[in-house]
Structure formats: structure tokens, C-alpha cells
Amino acid sequence: MGIKWKKFPLKRHVRTWEEKDMEKEVKNQILQLLATLQEAHDDIGLRIENEEYEKVRGILADCQESAISAGNRIEQFEKNQGEIIRVLEEYCEQLFCINTALVNQEQLNSAAVREKLNQYIIDARRRVKNNIKTLKAVFFPYKASMWASLDSIWRAAQKDVECEAKVVVIPYHTLDSNGKEDEFHYEASLFPPEVPIVHYNQYAIEQERPDIVFIHNPYDGGNSVTRVPKEYYSYRLKMYTKRLVYSPYCLLGYYSPEEGSFLCLTNGAQMADKVLVQSERVKQIYMDHKIDEKRLLALGSPKVDAIVEGMKMPKAYPKGWEQKLGGRKVFLLNTHLSYFVMGFDAKQQRPDNVDFAQWHHEDIFNHLLNKEGCGLIWRPHPLLKAMLKSRNLYSSLEFIEKWEQRIAESENGVLDENGEYATSFHLSDALITTYSTMIAEYMISGKPVCIFEYPLDEENCKNSPVDYRHNYYKERRGEENKLFEFIQMVLDERDPLYEERIKDVHRAFDNLEGTVGENVYEWLKRDS
């Protein structure tokens, strides 16, 4: 029986976009073909034992044809897979050697033949699984402080040997008072060092055609403080992907139909194929604003994963922080983006001409700076100064810069200007804050929160995704300032509202296990 033994290399073929849609199916076909070869090796071993050598040579020829077919399929849709091809070439050489041995009537050990051939195919299957990516996902963050809304999904994707996951940090401009583009920003250097960044000039979505695109910026050109380039607007990204996924950069705590509808009406929420929502309650809010239920994925928020994982980490102080904060009870002061704007606007209407934003901050700083046993981290919203400049609120800007200087000169205060805020979350023992989405995030940590605005009414609290009633308040209408009392409570390690607050947290979030990113990724992969 004559066999014409074929030699590699295989034909080269450039993949087309139409063929890309077949990648997953082709990969499964290749793996199935390689599995069939392993079954054939059992037959080869059995027939060697029975001395059916002509049948063995026929099976060897079939195995070679199948290996060449697998190699050609690999080359058709995935270039640069030389290692897999090399293994298949060596496999074919081994088949040729076995055939030659049979022609020369050499004695063969059936178990050794079977094991040797299996080694090549097992190696080839492993390389196909690991090296041939059938799912492409790209993450388009723009602000490092918002990366937590995507991080755990990216970590799940980059662990998957079948997925090619890329992070492309996109640039943005802050806007001036006329809404014109002002300062240019590119925050790639602020991302965690373990996250490999692809420069935006090196990634062409038109050519890559990723299966899934993730965004956390839903505004396109509708943000009054920042703006990303038009090529990263949601409608354009949607043109080049099978699925656009919007993961909100904030947790939704307080909600009223009058004030919160904009969250559901942003371009990103409207254009996305899937919107990730933190709970069934938030899902209902989106549905109330005519977002199709099929587009809403209520598996929890990836931001919760970041908080849960951060709580497990040992404390690590940024440079210069430990000297000021070590051994103290640390209070994190959070200032919402619009708080100083509201204070300035309200000042014009007040008979005493008091800016309540400045007044509250002055009071908090005076209670905490250089106080024994206390440490202070002030984290103004990363875009606060840009907001004030865009509104020409230079009196507020001067106030902030004055206190930044006083904090720098203090014994126990630091200014948090890091790209991420997980460090401040972790190092602090309590939060003092305006109304902000950060309240909901901090409540997950279990630590006490003091809000320095008046409490919401009971009906609003009940209808909001997160019930704020079991936090502490600096002031209640008709009552005296409770800030000193709150500070002393934290110093004494007391928290009488803890149990009720934790119940509120468990009612507010569908997943507090730190597995949201994994669940989201697996769901999207199954559905892709």
C-alpha cells in the first residue's frame, strides 16, 4: 500500500471579516478533530497488538490527513500560530516514522506508540485552547478613578484563555466656562501597574472589530465638565462591535424621578446593548424610563467587587501618609462635584450671605486638623477644580486652595489626589461626606458615615436603591451640630447603627461576594 506523505508548510490565508464570525465554531471543530485523533491512537495500539499492520498504515494515513486539515483550518483564521503548526508537523513526522518502521517490519510497542502520539495531540489541543482567541473584548476607560467599574470584569476576561482582553485608556478634555475644550488629559499612568495599557493611537476599532466593548462614560458630548473625542462616543463604538456594554461608574444610592432620570437618558445607556445594574430595584428604575428589560443585566456592580477585595488587603500607605495617619483614627472627607457650586448659588439667596459649602468644610477642618488621635484624608471630587473653573467660581477655588495648603502643613492631614480612591477607603475608619454616590460604596465597608446635609424624608429613603436612614448626620433641622459627637464615637470605636445599616446594604445590592465581574463576564461570553 503506497502512501504519499505530504510535507508542511501549509497554505497561507488571510482571514476576512466574514470568516471572523465563524471563529468560535471553527475552533471547536479543530478541537473535536484533534480529540478524534486521540481516539484513533487507541485503535492503532490495538491493531499493532493484533499485528494488523496494513490496517495500522491506513489509520496512520488518515491521521496525517486529519492533522493537515486541522493545521490548514488554524492557518485560515488565526495567523502567527507557528507553535501549534510546529507540533502538528512533528506529529506528522512521528506518523511517518511509525509507517517506516512497519514497512521495515520493525517490532513496535503498542503502548509506547499510543502514548507518544497522544503527547503531540494533547500538546496541540492545549495550544489551540490557550493561543487561539475566539473572543475579543476591549475596555475603554477614560478616568483612572472610575476604573473600578470595569476592573473585575477585565480581570475575569484576561484570565480566560479564549479571550483577548485589551484596555485602551482614552484621552479627554476638561471644558472651560464656554463649554469649549480646554486642558488635555491622558491618565494611563494612573492605572494599576498590573493593567497593561494599549495606547489609543495603537488601537483601531474599525480593524479589530471586538466582540464586546465596555464603557463607563455614558455622556458622549453631553458632559459639562469633560469630553472624550467623538470617535469614542457610544453610537460610533456600537458600529464596530457585536455588543456595547455600559457599566456605570457610580453606584446609585438616592433616587427620585425628578432628579435621577438623567442616568437612564444618557447616550451610553440608550445606545448600549447591555446596561449593568447593581440590583433589581435599579433595573426597575431603568425600565420605568423605557429601557427594554432585555438590555438590563442585574448581576450587581463591579464597583462592589473592588470594595470587597480592598477590605481584604493589608494597609499600605502612600508616600508621606503613614507619618501623618499611622496610629490614628482616620476620617475621610469626601466633597461631591457640585457641592461648592450649590453653596455659591445658595449664597445669593441667603440673607446672611453665607456659603454653606465653605462653612461646613471650615467647621469640619477645624474639628479634625491637628486634633489628637485623629487623622484626616480630604478627597475632593477629581473634577471639582475643573468644574469651578468652568463656572468661574474663583472664590470657591481660592477657598479650596487655601485649605489644601493648610492640610499640607498640618500634623495629621493629607490630600488624596490619587487616580483611585480604594486606598482612602481602606485606610479610613469613617466617612464624612456630602450626598454622593460614595455613601453607598462606603456603607458596603461597614464603617460609619456622617452626612453633612439634612436627612432625606422617609418616603425618599424607602424608594431609593440604598436606604440612608441608618447613617449619622452632622445636623438635623432644629438640632445642634453633631460633628463632635460623631468624631468622639469613632474614637471610642462605637457604632450603634451598625446592625441596621448592614441590613440596608444587603437589601440594596444583589451580590456582595466579590464575584460580580466573573458573573458578568461569563454571562456575556455565553450569550456572545
Side-chain angles (χ1 to χ4, degrees):
M1 177 178 176
I3 300 176
K4 185 178 180 181
W5 294 95
K6 301 175 181 66
K7 294 287 184 180
F8 284 86
L10 305 166
K11 278 187 179 180
R12 298 285 173 180
H13 181 80
V14 178
R15 177 179 53 181
T16 66
W17 290 116
E18 290 77 14
E19 288 170 329
K20 182 182 181 299
D21 291 333
M22 300 173 58
E23 286 178 353
K24 184 181 295 186
E25 180 183 352
V26 171
K27 180 175 179 178
N28 289 334
Q29 290 173 355
I30 291 169
L31 290 172
Q32 184 57 49
L33 184 57
L34 295 177
T36 301
L37 286 175
Q38 284 187 260
E39 295 175 4
H41 300 162
D42 292 335
D43 194 22
I44 288 172
L46 180 62
R47 293 186 183 279
I48 287 175
E49 291 176 2
N50 295 334
E51 299 183 355
E52 300 175 52
Y53 299 130
E54 284 301 314
K55 290 184 178 180
V56 171
R57 295 183 66 206
I59 298 171
L60 292 173
D62 291 340
C63 287
Q64 192 200 39
E65 291 291 344
S66 295
I68 292 174
S69 175
N72 281 325
R73 297 305 298 275
I74 290 169
E75 283 285 332
Q76 283 177 1
F77 82 97
E78 192 69 30
K79 297 182 291 184
N80 303 319
Q81 293 300 336
E83 285 301 303
I84 301 175
I85 301 303
R86 179 187 58 78
V87 172
L88 292 176
E89 287 177 338
E90 291 176 357
Y91 172 73
C92 287
E93 291 294 336
Q94 187 64 34
L95 294 174
F96 178 77
C97 291
I98 295 170
N99 180 72
T100 301
L102 291 173
V103 170
N104 296 333
Q105 299 183 351
E106 297 177 16
Q107 191 70 28
L108 294 174
N109 182 299
S110 61
V113 168
R114 184 168 52 244
E115 181 179 354
K116 184 67 174 177
L117 293 177
N118 279 342
Q119 285 177 356
Y120 287 109
I121 299 307
I122 290 171
D123 188 15
R125 292 186 70 191
R126 177 183 61 81
R127 292 176 185 275
V128 168
K129 288 180 179 179
N130 291 352
N131 297 346
I132 296 181
K133 311 296 184 181
T134 56
L135 186 68
K136 286 188 174 184
V138 62
F139 297 77
F140 282 120
Y142 82 113
K143 286 201 66 63
S145 60
M146 299 175 183
W147 173 239
S149 59
L150 298 173
D151 181 74
S152 63
I153 308 174
W154 168 77
R155 291 182 188 277
Q158 62 93 27
K159 287 179 183 177
D160 182 5
V161 296
E162 295 184 339
C163 181
E164 179 183 87
K166 294 182 177 180
V167 179
V168 181
V169 177
I170 58 179
Y172 68 95
H173 283 87
T174 47
L175 306 181
D176 64 19
S177 58
N178 297 313
K180 302 296 184 182
E181 293 182 355
D182 189 8
E183 296 180 17
F184 174 86
H185 302 266
Y186 178 58
E187 298 191 358
S189 63
L190 301 179
F191 279 69
E194 67 272 18
V195 179
I197 304 298
V198 177
H199 194 277
Y200 58 91
N201 281 336
Q202 301 299 316
Y203 187 87
I205 192 171
E206 303 92 334
Q207 297 176 12
E208 294 286 343
R209 305 268 177 161
D211 299 284
I212 310 176
V213 168
F214 293 92
I215 59 172
H216 65 202
N217 169 34
Y219 300 112
D220 291 350
N223 194 332
S224 62
V225 183
T226 63
R227 184 174 298 153
V228 300
K230 287 185 178 179
E231 52 262 42
Y232 301 107
Y233 284 9
S234 57
Y235 78 87
R236 188 176 184 279
L237 296 177
K238 188 178 172 70
M239 294 167 56
Y240 301 109
T241 183
K242 297 176 183 176
R243 176 163 290 157
L244 179 66
V245 179
Y246 166 45
S247 180
Y249 65 84
C250 61
L251 298 181
L252 186 56
Y254 167 74
Y255 170 78
S256 70
E258 299 78 19
E259 298 179 31
S261 60
F262 77 94
L263 292 170
C264 308
L265 300 177
T266 57
N267 287 0
Q270 294 291 319
M271 293 297 301
D273 298 293
K274 289 294 178 183
V275 178
L276 308 185
V277 293
Q278 70 202 43
S279 65
E280 289 294 330
R281 171 71 185 106
V282 176
K283 179 179 178 180
Q284 186 58 54
I285 289 172
Y286 276 88
M287 290 170 61
D288 291 343
H289 288 84
K290 311 304 181 185
I291 302 291
D292 188 345
E293 181 179 8
K294 294 179 181 178
R295 294 174 50 219
L296 301 170
L297 200 54
L299 296 176
S301 170
K303 290 180 72 72
V304 173
D305 291 346
I307 297 164
V308 171
E309 291 304 310
M311 290 162 57
K312 300 175 184 177
M313 302 295 290
K315 287 188 176 182
Y317 292 92
K319 185 178 180 181
W321 283 29
E322 186 169 11
Q323 181 180 352
K324 288 190 169 188
L325 303 180
R328 303 173 187 262
K329 290 294 182 184
V330 178
F331 296 81
L332 170 59
L333 173 59
N334 168 60
T335 303
H336 187 265
L337 176 62
S338 62
Y339 193 64
F340 276 93
V341 177
M342 293 189 298
F344 182 87
D345 291 344
K347 176 182 176 181
Q348 318 304 313
Q349 312 300 322
R350 293 173 62 110
D352 57 7
N353 202 37
V354 170
D355 184 322
F356 66 74
Q358 294 189 20
W359 183 88
H360 275 298
H361 280 74
E362 189 100 29
D363 187 42
I364 293 165
F365 292 140
N366 287 332
H367 270 86
L368 288 171
L369 273 188
N370 300 316
K371 299 297 182 181
E372 185 176 355
C374 297
L376 172 67
I377 303 172
W378 184 23
R379 185 177 176 86
H381 191 285
L383 295 173
L384 178 58
K385 287 186 177 181
M387 165 73 89
L388 297 177
K389 289 178 182 178
S390 72
R391 302 291 183 90
N392 292 320
L393 300 183
Y394 291 102
S395 62
S396 297
L397 194 59
E398 288 172 8
F399 176 88
I400 289 172
E401 290 174 343
K402 178 191 78 172
W403 276 104
E404 287 179 346
Q405 183 62 32
R406 293 183 68 173
I407 287 172
E409 295 170 354
S410 71
E411 298 175 0
N412 68 337
V414 297
L415 184 68
D416 182 4
E417 297 178 298
N418 295 316
E420 49 77 28
Y421 52 82
T423 299
S424 290
F425 262 49
H426 195 40
L427 293 179
S428 58
D429 299 286
L431 174 67
I432 301 174
T433 181
T434 56
Y435 277 118
S436 162
T437 58
M438 190 178 283
I439 297 173
E441 298 177 42
Y442 205 83
M443 286 173 66
I444 294 169
S445 74
K447 301 172 186 179
V449 177
C450 179
I451 301 169
F452 57 94
E453 295 185 68
Y454 289 131
L456 304 172
D457 64 64
E458 188 168 336
E459 192 63 23
N460 268 336
C461 284
K462 285 181 179 178
N463 293 330
S464 292
V466 182
D467 191 337
Y468 287 161
R469 286 175 294 177
H470 295 107
N471 292 299
Y472 302 91
Y473 288 86
K474 182 174 181 282
E475 293 183 358
R476 295 178 183 270
R477 296 186 189 279
E479 296 184 8
E480 63 182 13
N481 189 336
K482 300 285 186 180
L483 181 60
F484 176 79
E485 185 179 308
F486 177 77
I487 293 170
Q488 193 59 49
M489 184 196 79
V490 174
L491 291 173
D492 294 342
E493 298 184 350
R494 292 183 292 109
D495 185 1
L497 297 181
Y498 173 79
E499 296 294 340
E500 290 301 320
R501 191 169 65 253
I502 290 301
K503 290 179 183 177
D504 293 337
V505 168
H506 281 275
R507 284 191 289 264
F509 299 101
D510 289 353
N511 184 336
L512 293 167
E513 305 301 317
T515 59
V516 175
E518 296 175 18
N519 295 344
V520 166
Y521 174 73
E522 288 301 325
W523 192 98
L524 292 171
K525 181 180 178 181
R526 287 195 304 270
D527 198 54
S528 63

